[in-house]
């Protein structure tokens, strides 16, 4: 039977009453590297600097979601102080998988056996839903991917950075590497910030570029550097000195954006950039504006930009540097448009 959900596997990490943290169960199986990663990421670890009840990230181009629950006296888990439920899936949809984790965790608290987690998992894989009981229900159809994409704080980001938000917009358009820093105690803000950025380029509908929470370990950095462009979140301030990891660096607490020296040629701001920046900032001044409205308006601006770019194409539909030069554009505009054309597949190979 074909799977009705993009689930890949699930697992269980427990902290017992002796404060020992153990990987206790998985289905179908996880690699040793995955197990070590999940145990480090979950907030049960004594070395953990964060304690979010729910977090998500990706590894090897697969998403993982970790939900942590502190047991109560009413739970049927007398030897367990807390546990983390891990779900791996193909798709980005934090709200969907948090809801699924909550339902599966409730079943586990009730029964005290991982078999109940497996029952929920298999029901969702084969039927797309868990009809459930008093511990909750779940239906895959209740969580559309566009809703996950639109769950953004784009308005707040533009308000924070003002005209400099054009640097973020340009970085996303030109498929550059963006590093975002927030301190460990602001991990929740970091995750919201990073998931919001792909909405700047809504026409691509690509959230696979987001790596919300990356630690500076060899394994995680190797995984990150296997991709040509990304939005990566960090809670280690030393990442600022690692310009090999980014083209644009964003400090979410100080509200500062810096462009790495090797990438400055792509961020020469001409009149085109300034006009777009001004129009984006002016949107924030409109009464009643929301992030969905901001997404829509920026998408409209981007569509206009791409339409104008395509109007400069040669007969074969591609954009050549020679054609752009013949238009006598300012160098900054010419360089930007040619780079954008390459990112949109309009430059001949």
């Amino acid at each position: 039977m074909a799977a009705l959900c993009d689930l890949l596997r699930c697992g269980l990490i427990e902290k017992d009453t002796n404060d020992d943290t153990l990987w206790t169960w998985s289905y179908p199986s996880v690699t040793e590297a995955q197990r070590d990663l999940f145990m480090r990421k979950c907030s049960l670890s004594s070395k953990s600097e964060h304690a979010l009840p729910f977090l998500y990230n990706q590894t090897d181009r697969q998403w993982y979601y970790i939900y942590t629950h502190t047991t109560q006296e009413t739970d049927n888990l007398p030897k367990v102080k807390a546990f983390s439920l891990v779900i791996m899936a193909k798709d980005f949809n934090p709200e969907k998988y948090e809801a699924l984790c909550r339902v599966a965790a409730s079943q586990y608290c009730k029964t005290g056996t991982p078999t109940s987690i497996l029952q929920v998992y298999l029901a969702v894989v084969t039927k797309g839903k868990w009809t459930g009981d008093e511990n909750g229900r779940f239906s895959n159809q209740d969580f559309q991917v566009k809703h996950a994409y639109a769950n953004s704080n784009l308005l707040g980001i533009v308000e924070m950075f003002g005209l400099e938000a054009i640097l973020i917009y340009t970085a996303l358009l030109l498929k550059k590497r963006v590093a975002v820093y927030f301190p460990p105690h602001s991990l929740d803000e970091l995750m919201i910030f990073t998931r919001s950025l792909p909405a700047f380029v809504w026409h691509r509908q690509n959230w696979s570029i987001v790596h919300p929470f990356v630690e500076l370990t060899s394994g995680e950095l190797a995984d990150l550097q296997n991709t040509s462009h990304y939005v990566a979140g960090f809670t280690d301030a030393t990442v600022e000195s690692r310009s090999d990891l980014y083209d644009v660096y964003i400090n979410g607490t100080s509200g500062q954006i810096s462009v790495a020296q090797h990438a400055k040629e792509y961020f020469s701001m001409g009149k085109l950039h300034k006009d777009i920046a001004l129009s984006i900032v002016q949107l924030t001044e409109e009464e009643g504006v929301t992030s969905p409205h901001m997404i829509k308006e920026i998408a409209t601006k981007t569509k206009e930009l791409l339409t104008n770019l395509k109007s400069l194409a040669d007969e074969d539909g591609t954009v050549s540097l020679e054609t752009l030069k013949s238009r006598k554009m300012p160098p900054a505009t010419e360089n930007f448009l040619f780079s954008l054309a390459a990112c949109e597949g309009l430059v001949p190979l």
Side-chain angles (χ1 to χ4, degrees):
M1 180 180 291
L4 296 178
C5 195
D6 290 322
L7 289 168
L8 294 170
R9 53 186 57 85
C10 58
L12 185 65
I13 306 168
E14 294 180 331
K15 174 180 278 190
D16 63 23
T17 50
N18 295 320
D19 283 336
D20 293 324
T21 301
L22 302 169
W23 183 277
T24 57
W25 174 84
S26 61
Y27 178 85
S29 64
V30 297
T31 67
E32 183 178 350
Q34 289 171 338
R35 186 171 66 245
D36 291 345
L37 172 66
F38 300 150
M39 289 190 69
R40 189 176 74 249
K41 290 291 189 181
C42 80
S43 57
L44 300 180
S45 169
S46 58
K47 297 179 182 179
S48 176
E49 294 180 304
H50 54 87
L52 288 186
F54 181 72
L55 63 84
Y56 50 90
N57 199 28
Q58 46 174 324
T59 179
D60 295 327
R61 300 177 186 267
Q62 296 175 348
W63 287 95
Y64 61 86
Y65 304 87
I66 304 178
Y67 173 79
T68 300
H69 172 79
T70 301
T71 57
Q72 309 297 317
E73 290 184 5
T74 53
D75 293 338
N76 189 21
L77 295 164
K79 296 182 179 180
V80 179
K81 182 180 290 186
F83 66 85
S84 290
L85 182 60
V86 183
I87 286 180
M88 293 192 73
K90 299 175 185 177
D91 59 326
F92 172 83
N93 201 322
E95 288 69 40
K96 176 171 75 173
Y97 290 110
E98 182 175 11
L100 178 57
C101 282
R102 287 182 181 277
V103 169
S106 294
Q107 290 296 119
Y108 182 51
C109 290
K110 175 184 176 183
T111 66
T113 171
T115 303
S116 58
I117 299 175
L118 181 59
Q119 290 174 338
V120 175
Y121 178 91
L122 292 177
V124 174
V125 168
T126 57
K127 300 176 183 178
K129 61 182 179 180
W130 167 255
T131 52
D133 51 25
E134 71 276 7
N135 290 302
R137 298 169 179 248
F138 175 87
S139 175
N140 193 47
Q141 294 182 344
D142 292 339
F143 300 92
Q144 301 301 311
V145 68
K146 281 193 174 182
H147 293 162
Y149 293 168
N151 191 350
S152 159
N153 186 33
L154 204 62
L155 175 60
I157 291 171
V158 174
E159 288 177 332
M160 175 188 294
F161 293 101
L163 292 174
E164 283 207 324
I166 190 64
L167 294 172
I168 306 175
Y169 176 68
T170 301
L172 272 292
L173 272 181
L174 300 187
K175 296 184 176 180
K176 298 304 177 184
R177 300 169 304 158
V178 179
V180 182
Y181 166 76
F182 276 83
H185 64 268
S186 299
L187 178 57
D188 54 340
E189 295 179 60
L190 174 66
M191 301 189 76
I192 293 170
F193 192 104
T194 52
R195 75 175 290 180
S196 299
L197 295 192
F200 272 111
V201 283
W202 183 259
H203 67 290
R204 291 185 185 145
Q205 297 282 285
N206 182 12
W207 263 251
S208 68
I209 65 172
V210 181
H211 298 256
F213 176 34
V214 180
E215 294 177 280
L216 297 178
T217 64
S218 58
E220 289 194 52
L221 293 183
D223 192 27
L224 183 66
Q225 291 173 307
N226 279 335
T227 57
S228 60
H229 62 287
Y230 48 75
V231 172
F234 299 87
T235 58
D236 187 335
T238 63
V239 70
E240 185 175 7
S241 66
R242 294 289 307 271
S243 59
D244 59 308
L245 296 176
Y246 63 82
D247 302 307
V248 172
Y249 174 79
I250 302 171
N251 187 316
T253 53
S254 68
Q256 295 180 322
I257 303 175
S258 58
V259 178
Q261 187 64 37
H262 64 260
K264 285 188 180 296
E265 64 178 298
Y266 296 101
F267 293 89
S268 296
M269 298 289 110
K271 184 177 184 300
L272 175 62
H273 296 86
K274 293 174 183 176
D275 288 345
I276 295 174
L278 189 58
S279 65
I280 291 175
V281 171
Q282 286 175 340
L283 286 172
T284 66
E285 299 168 359
E286 294 183 9
E287 185 176 353
V289 69
T290 62
S291 281
H293 181 252
M294 178 68 71
I295 291 171
K296 183 178 179 180
E297 291 300 320
I298 293 177
T300 300
K301 292 289 181 186
T302 303
K303 184 178 180 180
E304 292 173 359
L305 177 62
L306 294 177
T307 298
N308 291 335
L309 177 61
K310 290 174 183 177
S311 72
L312 301 174
D314 298 327
E315 291 183 1
D316 62 357
T318 63
V319 176
S320 67
L321 188 56
E322 291 73 19
T323 299
L324 294 180
K325 286 183 179 297
S326 70
R327 298 299 180 108
K328 307 296 183 181
M329 299 176 181
T333 302
E334 178 186 293
N335 186 42
F336 169 69
L337 290 179
F338 187 70
S339 298
L340 178 57
C343 292
E344 294 295 322
L346 299 176
V347 173
L349 298 175

